[in-house]
Amino acid sequence: MLPFFLARPPTGWGVITTRGRKTGKPRRKCIRVIRSGDKAYIVQLRPPELARARPSAIAAWVWNIRSNPNVTLRIRGGTFAGVARELTEPAELARAREAFCETVNPFDYGECDIHLRGLPTRSKIQELHRYWFDTGVPLVVDIAN
């Protein structure tokens, strides 16, 4: 999906480019990203088994952000530079959860069809997004103007 997303990411999805913490090389990852003004909300997902067995497990791209928070985001509308950080402050987490979980885009219906049984509905998609947010690692990218 990476070449497709680099060429034209669907609304609500994109590609984050980080710098490898050991190599310094650019590393790209397809992600769900919801932009709200000058902020873009993303979540590092954890598979259910991993979320239960190792709730503190972190993906390599999040380790890269911890090492160097300067990232680029390729989303619908262009490529943007920004600074990524993990969310910890309760009010900011609430804003991020609202934006990430309640936004439903056309591509999300296909994503829901892959993860859940039955016909994808708006409420099922929102439930899936809430699960991802609650079991994952929420981050924000402060987009530079």
Side-chain angles (χ1 to χ4, degrees):
M1 289 179 39
L2 187 59
F4 170 73
F5 277 31
L6 281 172
R8 185 179 167 104
T11 302
W13 294 81
V15 177
I16 189 167
T17 303
T18 62
R19 288 276 164 192
R21 65 190 177 283
K22 295 178 184 175
T23 65
K25 293 180 182 179
R27 303 291 182 202
R28 289 186 225 138
K29 176 76 176 161
C30 295
I31 56 169
R32 181 169 193 275
V33 55
I34 300 300
R35 184 174 181 185
S36 178
D38 64 348
K39 299 195 180 302
Y41 299 107
I42 57 180
V43 174
Q44 179 233 301
L45 306 180
R46 291 188 180 114
E49 314 78 51
L50 186 60
R52 284 189 292 272
R54 293 182 31 223
S56 61
I58 301 294
W61 63 272
V62 176
W63 283 109
N64 292 344
I65 287 172
R66 288 178 176 177
S67 175
N68 179 356
N70 297 308
V71 300
T72 58
L73 274 178
R74 173 81 172 119
I75 56 177
R76 184 64 64 95
T79 302
F80 303 92
V83 178
R85 60 190 166 81
E86 293 177 56
L87 293 171
T88 56
E89 196 263 312
E92 197 171 30
L93 269 169
R95 282 191 302 274
R97 190 175 198 277
E98 173 74 20
F100 190 87
C101 300
E102 302 308 315
T103 302
V104 176
N105 295 301
F107 195 82
D108 295 332
Y109 285 86
E111 185 73 16
C112 182
D113 193 39
I114 293 169
H115 293 284
L116 297 176
R117 292 176 190 228
L119 189 64
T121 64
R122 182 176 186 81
S123 61
K124 276 184 172 180
I125 293 167
Q126 290 170 323
E127 180 183 325
L128 181 62
H129 293 169
R130 284 190 287 273
Y131 174 78
W132 287 348
F133 192 90
D134 295 341
T135 61
V137 178
L139 300 103
V140 64
V141 177
D142 295 308
I143 298 173
N145 292 326

